[in-house]
Amino acid sequence: MNWDWSAAADFMPRFLDGALVTLQVLVIGSLIAFTLGLVWALGLRSGSRFVRWPVGLVTEFVRNTPLLVQLFFLFFVLPEWGVRFSALTTGVLAIGLHYSTYTAQVYRAGIDAVPRGQWEAATALSLPVHRTWTAVILPQAVRRITPALGNYVIAMLKDTPLLAAISVLEMLQQSRLESAATFQYTEPLTIVGIAFVLIACPASLLVRTLERRLAR
């Protein structure tokens, strides 16, 4: 059966709304993952075991449990303790938290790859700790780990359809609702697949461009 193109015209605004939700989750979730991942990485490098061990336990637990379980926990369990978020906020927090545990290991590897001489030079110059990190260590670490961080952005994009499990109307959920209403599956799902490619390809090119610039 051919797709009713009048129905397609009605579907496109809903699909664009879903695409906007997907982009919001991707952008905000990435910011959370990159920021919190750095916090985890610094905690894992702490000289105090009272910091290092709890951070290690939390990151291992989050990294080794499915994202879908974490979504359900945040959405269904937290309200029982009086903590309530919207479905979209829950999805953003879950994806950001989940991937922050992966980016933490990436940050840690990048920091460990900075030559020891750079640390010694900062000490010899009597640079404050925050200055050592912001001006010497982190710029060199980020330069090394940009490709890996970019890969996790793409992974986050591909995991956004999981948010449909808690009723977030992202792109795939919008297409599923359209398919359920019209009994047409090929066209809506094809549009979603193309949209994911159109988002992922520019993101990959951006990461490569950033990598080349940082390598100069």
Side-chain angles (χ1 to χ4, degrees), residues 184-213:
Q184 299 292 327
Y185 294 90
T186 302
E187 292 85 352
L189 292 176
T190 299
I191 290 173
V192 170
I194 293 172
F196 273 107
V197 172
L198 292 178
I199 295 173
C201 286
S204 297
L205 290 175
L206 179 61
V207 170
R208 291 173 188 169
T209 301
L210 183 60
E211 180 185 359
R212 285 195 298 268
R213 291 189 175 182

Side-chain angles (χ1 to χ4, degrees), residues 10 12 17 31-32 46 56 90 98 105 109 114 126 137 159-160 164-165 169 174-176 182 185 192 197-198 202 206:
D10 293 335
M12 289 310 295
D17 288 341
L31 292 175
I32 293 174
S46 173
T90 300
H98 184 78
Q105 297 301 324
V114 175
S126 300
I137 304 304
D159 273 348
T160 55
L169 295 177
Q174 291 285 12
S175 72
R176 289 174 60 190
T182 63
Y185 294 90
V192 170
V197 172
L198 292 178
L206 179 61

Side-chain angles (χ1 to χ4, degrees), residues 99 115 123 132 134 179:
Y99 277 94
T123 301
T132 298
T134 58
S179 297

Side-chain angles (χ1 to χ4, degrees), residues 15-33:
F15 168 76
L16 292 176
D17 288 341
L20 180 60
V21 169
T22 297
L23 288 173
Q24 286 178 325
V25 173
L26 178 62
V27 172
I28 302 175
S30 296
L31 292 175
I32 293 174

Side-chain angles (χ1 to χ4, degrees), residues 59-132:
T59 55
E60 284 297 319
F61 178 81
V62 173
R63 190 166 60 249
N64 289 289
T65 54
L67 174 58
L68 189 58
V69 172
Q70 295 164 19
L71 279 168
F72 285 160
F73 184 89
L74 293 177
F75 192 68
F76 294 110
V77 176
L78 287 187
E80 296 183 2
W81 296 85
V83 180
R84 297 180 181 275
F85 300 109
S86 67
L88 179 57
T89 300
T90 300
V92 169
L93 291 175
I95 282 188
L97 174 62
H98 184 78
Y99 277 94
S100 71
T101 61
Y102 290 95
T103 60
Q105 297 301 324
V106 174
Y107 278 120
R108 188 166 68 163
I111 293 169
D112 289 343
V114 175
R116 184 172 182 81
Q118 298 295 312
W119 296 91
E120 294 172 349
T123 301
L125 293 172
S126 300
L127 292 180
V129 174
H130 74 277
R131 183 67 176 164
T132 298

